[in-house]
Amino acid sequence: MKQLKKNSELIKRCLIILLAVVLMAAAITLFSLSLEVYEGGFDADMDSIVMFFCGVALLVYGIYSVYALKKGLSVQTIYYGSFGAISVLMGFYPLGVFFKAMAKHKPFIENQEYLYIGILGIVMIVYLIFSYISEQREETQA
């Protein structure tokens, strides 16, 4: 039990890496299943590409956080960079898909999940901004 408590931070960070790898593998699988080749080009599901890039950002964060743990470095910059990129992808891509569908007069009910995911992404961006401001204020007061 003592060894588990000692290595819990490393295990937690390795689980982030595992989650990122699973997310990227699922994205690659979904992309390959959606790939349609036709004369003059191909078509594929763009959602899986966005999911892949979110996985890459999470993987970068996970790998650097393990490295930072071993070297005693701060993960603040990579945290805000990685989760900021994920939040922007989760916020603006789905909203773009949603508003494009609305402009083409497609039914709301078929595209509402893009709206909800986009709102969640915007909330994440706002959270990260306020978290960053709060952290900066704490550093200047210390």
Side-chain angles (χ1 to χ4, degrees):
M1 189 62 144
K2 200 177 227 184
Q3 192 71 8
L4 183 64
K5 286 182 182 180
K6 182 180 175 185
N7 292 326
S8 65
E9 191 66 29
L10 179 64
I11 292 169
K12 181 176 76 172
R13 294 176 186 206
C14 287
L15 286 173
I16 291 173
I17 294 172
L18 179 65
L19 175 67
V21 169
V22 168
L23 186 66
M24 290 170 55
I28 290 170
T29 303
L30 291 172
F31 178 78
S32 63
L33 291 173
S34 72
L35 196 61
E36 295 178 17
V37 179
Y38 55 89
E39 191 174 316
F42 68 93
D43 193 20
D45 182 22
M46 293 301 292
D47 296 351
S48 58
I49 294 173
V50 171
M51 189 167 79
F52 178 78
F53 285 129
C54 288
V56 168
L58 193 60
L59 182 65
V60 167
Y61 171 73
I63 290 172
Y64 185 80
S65 68
V66 169
Y67 173 77
L69 181 66
K70 296 290 185 185
K71 298 289 184 180
L73 302 172
S74 171
V75 294
Q76 178 185 5
T77 304
I78 195 72
Y79 169 80
Y80 288 111
S82 295
F83 287 101
I86 291 169
S87 299
V88 166
L89 286 170
M90 277 185 57
F92 295 120
Y93 171 74
L95 287 176
V97 171
F98 174 76
F99 288 121
K100 183 178 176 182
M102 293 298 101
K104 292 183 176 182
H105 303 290
K106 293 186 178 179
F108 174 82
I109 198 82
E110 292 177 8
N111 296 290
Q112 67 181 346
E113 65 268 5
Y114 287 109
L115 175 64
Y116 303 140
I117 292 170
I119 291 171
L120 178 64
I122 298 296
V123 169
M124 286 175 57
I125 292 170
V126 171
Y127 169 79
L128 286 172
I129 290 170
F130 283 112
S131 176
Y132 180 77
I133 291 169
S134 172
E135 205 166 285
Q136 292 302 312
R137 185 168 5 126
E138 287 175 9
E139 285 180 6
T140 58
Q141 289 177 353

